[in-house]
Amino acid sequence: MPSYATTIAAIGAFLLSRPVMGSGQKKTPFGWGTQSLAHFGVEPELGRHNEQNLNTLVSHSAMAIALETEYVTIPLDHDNASAGTYQNRFWVSDEFYEPGSPIFVYDTGEADGASIASAYLTSTLSFFREFLIEFNAMGIAWEHRYYGNSTPAPISYESPPETYQYLTTKQALADLPYFASNFSREKYPDVDLTPQGTPWVMVGGSYAGIRAALTRNEYPETIFAAYSSSAPVEARVNMSVYYDQVYRGMVADGWTNCSADIHAALEYIDDQLSDDDTATSIKQLFFGPGAEANSNGDFTGALTAIYSYFQSYGMAGGIGGLGAFCEYLEVDPKTNGTTGPDGLAPTYGGQYVAERWAAWPTFLELVNLNMGTNCGPQNASQPIDCDFSKPYGDPATITWTWQYCSEWGFFQANNEGPHSLASRYQSVEYQQEVCNRQFPHAVEKGLLPPSPRADEVNQEFGGWTIRPSNVYFSGGEFDPWRSLSILSTDDIAPQEVEFTSAIPACGVQTDEDTVFGYVMKDSEHCFDFQATPTVGKLSRGIFTSALLQWLECFGQNSSQTR
């Protein structure tokens, strides 16, 4: 059976074209690229599947004709034509289209769009393809500027910082409306496929869900309706609430003991890190020789690998998932049975829990896979490489890092307090240091702000306060990103807001204290886009019912307003 790392690499490359770095190369972020795997019911480690089986699982054979890759010329700066243009990639499926029916756009978000387009437009497991069938719709997969082949210049760690000057939320939101205003197909010469003659419906999850909601809000004359899933529309520098949601999900799934032991182990680890001599020992305990050279921030950042797959799989996620870690951790050495709700630490101490954590058989491989390292060494034929300070090397990851470092924030710092699940060294200051290391020349030239411009983003686009008409919001109860979504109930979010599945009238905004949306019970990130969960089908059904009503008023002035 192939190793866990080999299997992850094979699946990730197939579905997302997301390269997994080997020893000595630049790293990729934990759990990056697993969301689409979860949507198609693929566990992160399917050692029993080879690439041929995966091609069958997420098949292109559902279409009689293969997708054609197309490009459109887009201005780099929609306010200044002299800035030049770039080529933006997209894909179209008209397999089920009937003239007069809507156009559905799937925004591929912060990723290379090629394999995403193939999977979501053609696979029989795709929820998006189900929409195309149900509405006799044309489907478009749209690649975000600066991702995949939709880049004005090559993206790498060595890219000049001036490369990113047109990578802003404002410019990216204007791309799709520019494209839509002149969209046509030779096959339908007599059909007006622009938003003036055909309703355009935008669908997206996570960051793409933000874009779906904001595009309808900013360009209602282009996007007639939108489905916004798990969308953190509120920019925020300090996103320590991410771990609050992980804690709530663990408790709801019966792992209060595991959350308490992780907390106790981290308290012990942080105490050891406060002294240079003991810091060396604790770092080597987890990762072997060479680990001591890492800063406390980089070392404790690697410890967050245990949460790699939580947002996409909850407590599942295969042998590298948080559930598997808790099952391993919560074994009482005296009884060989599962511990009680208080966990191991009250009896055996935080040191014991930390040592047991370090001995988890999957852990070293999981960290090496994502960090591009050879700690241990895991591969004895290669030199030891345990440097966690490497910058990201994958182009899509670099692009997304620029976006959150310059605008959105989303720094997943420690959620301080009795339920904290990260080290105190996972601070906002450390997260900013990661940004500065990734783009050192941008810092030198003053092109990267000293802190993300989150407040400016919220002021310009509305954050939690947006209430665009004809938009449905969906999210998971324990989604770590829910805290910054319009469906948030956290203390930092607006209070006394009602979430309702009662369908608003077409073109009519809800009041500030009302959101048309649905919170999926016992669910995490974009679970409504997954093929199997019943709760996801329920959520999609609410949107389908709403869209059927809204489409009746297409062409009326009220439907084109926010």
Side-chain angles (χ1 to χ4, degrees):
M1 178 179 290
S3 71
Y4 180 62
T6 303
T7 305
I8 289 286
I11 299 173
F14 170 72
L15 274 179
L16 294 176
S17 301
R18 180 79 64 203
V20 175
M21 303 301 170
S23 178
Q25 298 181 338
K26 296 181 176 68
K27 64 186 178 184
T28 54
F30 288 126
W32 188 266
T34 60
Q35 185 170 300
S36 288
L37 301 181
H39 290 179
F40 291 92
V42 182
E43 287 285 351
E45 91 298 348
L46 284 181
R48 62 188 180 277
H49 286 291
N50 57 29
E51 187 169 338
Q52 181 178 357
N53 290 335
L54 287 170
N55 275 284
T56 301
L57 180 64
V58 185
S59 175
H60 299 185
S61 63
M63 285 187 64
I65 302 174
L67 287 178
E68 178 184 353
T69 301
E70 302 181 57
Y71 290 87
V72 61
T73 301
I74 300 285
L76 272 171
D77 187 338
H78 290 275
D79 299 317
N80 179 13
S82 66
T85 61
Y86 76 100
Q87 297 297 300
N88 206 108
R89 189 164 56 163
F90 67 98
W91 300 262
V92 179
S93 169
D94 61 2
E95 181 183 11
F96 309 107
Y97 179 67
E98 295 180 3
S101 298
I103 291 175
F104 275 67
V105 180
Y106 187 79
D107 189 294
T108 63
E110 69 280 29
D112 183 305
S115 51
I116 292 178
S118 296
Y120 286 84
L121 288 175
T122 71
S123 173
T124 54
L125 297 175
S126 166
F127 82 93
F128 187 74
R129 185 173 179 270
E130 290 180 0
F131 282 154
L132 303 185
I133 295 172
E134 184 167 4
F135 287 91
N136 299 312
M138 185 178 297
I140 298 175
W142 178 258
E143 188 169 66
H144 192 294
R145 63 165 56 198
Y146 283 77
Y147 289 91
N149 285 358
S150 300
T151 59
I155 302 298
S156 71
Y157 176 68
E158 289 77 23
S159 295
E162 292 81 6
T163 301
Y164 305 104
Q165 63 182 309
Y166 301 111
L167 178 55
T168 66
T169 299
K170 179 182 177 181
Q171 294 293 346
L173 286 176
D175 292 339
L176 185 60
Y178 182 91
F179 162 72
S181 65
N182 293 294
F183 182 71
S184 64
R185 307 303 286 173
E186 291 184 2
K187 189 175 179 179
Y188 303 100
D190 299 324
V191 180
D192 181 2
L193 294 174
T194 72
Q196 298 305 308
T198 297
W200 283 54
V201 180
M202 191 170 180
V203 178
S206 194
Y207 169 62
I210 300 175
R211 284 172 47 78
L214 294 187
T215 307
R216 167 61 185 172
N217 199 50
E218 298 294 316
Y219 297 94
E221 71 283 357
T222 297
I223 299 302
F224 174 75
Y227 186 145
S228 176
S229 172
S230 297
V233 295
E234 177 80 1
R236 187 177 178 88
V237 175
N238 186 345
M239 195 190 173
S240 60
V241 288
Y242 185 98
Y243 291 110
D244 287 334
Q245 279 289 85
V246 176
Y247 168 78
R248 293 164 188 154
M250 293 179 71
V251 171
D253 206 56
W255 289 109
T256 303
N257 50 3
C258 189
S259 67
D261 278 336
I262 292 172
H263 178 80
L266 287 168
E267 285 191 325
Y268 169 77
I269 291 168
D270 283 350
D271 182 65
Q272 297 298 294
L273 292 173
S274 64
D275 179 87
D276 288 343
D277 292 334
T278 53
T280 294
S281 299
I282 195 69
K283 291 173 183 177
Q284 290 183 347
L285 171 69
F286 275 85
F287 300 116
E292 70 279 359
N294 289 289
S295 70
N296 291 346
D298 288 335
F299 166 69
T300 55
L303 297 182
T304 64
I306 59 174
Y307 310 117
S308 297
Y309 305 119
F310 177 81
Q311 72 176 40
S312 294
Y313 292 93
M315 295 302 291
I319 62 173
L322 185 55
F325 173 71
C326 288
E327 289 176 1
Y328 159 82
L329 189 68
E330 296 306 315
V331 176
D332 190 311
K334 291 182 179 178
T335 66
N336 207 33
T338 303
T339 63
D342 294 332
L344 295 164
T347 302
Y348 301 100
Q351 178 178 353
Y352 173 84
V353 181
E355 291 172 348
R356 182 160 175 78
W357 178 348
W360 183 33
T362 308
F363 189 59
L364 187 63
E365 191 170 6
L366 183 63
V367 172
N368 281 333
L369 167 69
N370 286 280
M371 302 298 281
T373 50
N374 187 33
C375 298
Q378 180 184 333
N379 184 347
S381 66
Q382 296 292 324
I384 292 174
D385 176 11
C386 204
D387 179 9
F388 297 146
S389 68
K390 299 173 185 177
Y392 297 127
D394 171 53
T397 309
I398 294 172
T399 297
W400 175 239
T401 303
W402 179 270
Q403 289 189 263
Y404 74 73
C405 289
S406 62
E407 290 191 308
W408 287 93
F410 298 152
F411 289 175
Q412 292 160 26
N414 174 38
N415 58 327
E416 298 177 359
H419 303 146
S420 65
L421 293 177
S423 163
R424 68 169 180 260
Y425 293 100
Q426 291 303 296
S427 62
V428 169
E429 292 75 19
Y430 167 72
Q431 303 294 336
Q432 184 62 54
E433 178 188 332
V434 172
C435 291
N436 296 345
R437 285 196 313 226
Q438 184 69 46
F439 304 105
H441 299 302
V443 174
E444 294 170 1
K445 296 183 177 182
L447 298 177
L448 185 72
S451 181
R453 301 188 184 99
D455 290 342
E456 295 177 29
V457 171
N458 293 330
Q459 184 175 2
E460 182 171 6
F461 298 108
W464 278 314
T465 67
I466 63 169
R467 296 294 186 273
S469 65
N470 294 9
V471 176
Y472 172 67
F473 294 92
S474 178
E477 181 181 9
F478 301 118
D479 176 13
W481 296 91
R482 180 189 170 193
S483 298
L484 298 184
S485 81
I486 204 169
L487 299 172
S488 177
T489 55
D490 278 45
D491 292 341
I492 59 174
Q495 300 299 297
E496 298 182 359
V497 177
E498 177 189 5
F499 311 138
T500 178
S501 57
I503 301 171
C506 178
V508 177
Q509 295 177 306
T510 61
D511 296 332
E512 290 184 7
D513 60 356
T514 304
V515 171
F516 176 48
Y518 181 73
V519 177
M520 297 174 287
K521 186 174 177 58
D522 298 327
S523 300
E524 278 79 29
H525 199 56
C526 296
F527 270 36
D528 47 339
F529 286 3
Q530 294 186 9
T532 53
T534 303
V535 69
K537 294 179 180 178
L538 173 62
S539 182
R540 296 196 301 272
I542 297 172
F543 172 71
T544 296
S545 297
L547 185 57
L548 287 170
Q549 290 189 29
W550 294 337
L551 286 172
E552 294 178 1
C553 77
F554 175 72
Q556 301 176 17
N557 290 336
S558 62
S559 68
Q560 306 304 113
T561 62
R562 288 186 179 182

